[in-house]
């Protein structure tokens, strides 16, 4: 377990149009991937982070569930929630999603160029946030 003075620094913009849980998910994910939150860092409890951000506990819980599904964090029962060694888990998840996408577009009859163009457009939209 990593204990230091660093904390989770999140800014939620209600008027922005992006759902608060998605803002929490995206910011924690980015901080974990950049190393601002190191592997093994213990995250605040759902309730604690919700209070800190002025959000409902269910909103933070939804973000934590999505982060766990993405392999960014891991919950260790009563010990808490920690930043996971996400690189390999995230890469495996991406490879699985890419394989499913490739199979689906092939069944739809798209050419490789059409499939790549669709994926590129989706990635541009996702990363433009």
């Amino acid at each position: 377990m990593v204990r230091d003075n660093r904390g989770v620094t999140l800014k939620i913009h209600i008027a922005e149009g992006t759902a608060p849980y998605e803002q929490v998910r995206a910011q924690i994910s980015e901080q974990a991937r950049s190393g601002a939150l190191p592997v093994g860092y213990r995250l605040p409890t759902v309730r604690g982070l919700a209070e800190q951000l002025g959000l409902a506990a269910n909103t933070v819980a939804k973000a934590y569930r999505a982060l766990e599904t993405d392999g960014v964090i891991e919950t260790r029962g009563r010990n808490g929630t920690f930043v996971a060694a996400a690189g390999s888990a995230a890469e495996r998840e991406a490879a699985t999603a890419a394989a499913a996408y490739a199979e689906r577009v092939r069944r739809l009859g798209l050419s490789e160029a059409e499939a790549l163009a669709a994926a590129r457009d989706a990635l541009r939209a996702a990363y433009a946030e």
Side-chain angles (χ1 to χ4, degrees):
M1 173 179 355
V2 174
R3 290 182 188 247
D4 59 20
N5 291 330
R6 277 184 273 206
V8 179
T9 305
L10 305 175
K11 293 188 173 130
I12 305 303
H13 304 283
I14 301 300
E16 184 179 287
T18 303
Y21 94 89
E22 176 58 24
Q23 292 180 52
V24 171
R25 187 210 59 78
Q27 290 177 45
I28 289 176
S29 182
E30 174 56 35
Q31 289 179 34
R33 294 191 199 294
S34 73
L37 293 175
V39 170
Y41 179 83
R42 185 175 185 196
L43 293 166
T45 63
V46 166
R47 206 163 277 166
L49 186 57
E51 287 176 14
Q52 179 184 335
L53 297 173
L55 296 172
N58 285 341
T59 299
V60 174
K62 185 175 182 180
Y64 274 22
R65 282 191 303 275
L67 287 162
E68 192 155 19
T69 298
D70 292 346
V72 176
I73 65 172
E74 58 187 4
T75 301
R76 300 178 192 161
R78 292 182 178 192
N79 292 322
T81 302
F82 299 84
V83 174
S88 59
E91 289 166 6
R92 281 193 307 273
E93 180 75 21
T96 300
Y101 173 74
E103 181 59 29
R104 177 82 174 134
V105 295
R106 187 186 62 74
R107 281 195 314 256
L108 291 170
L110 271 65
S111 69
E112 185 177 337
E114 291 167 327
L116 285 170
R120 201 173 295 114
D121 290 345
L123 287 167
R124 281 190 192 118
Y127 283 96
E129 296 176 349

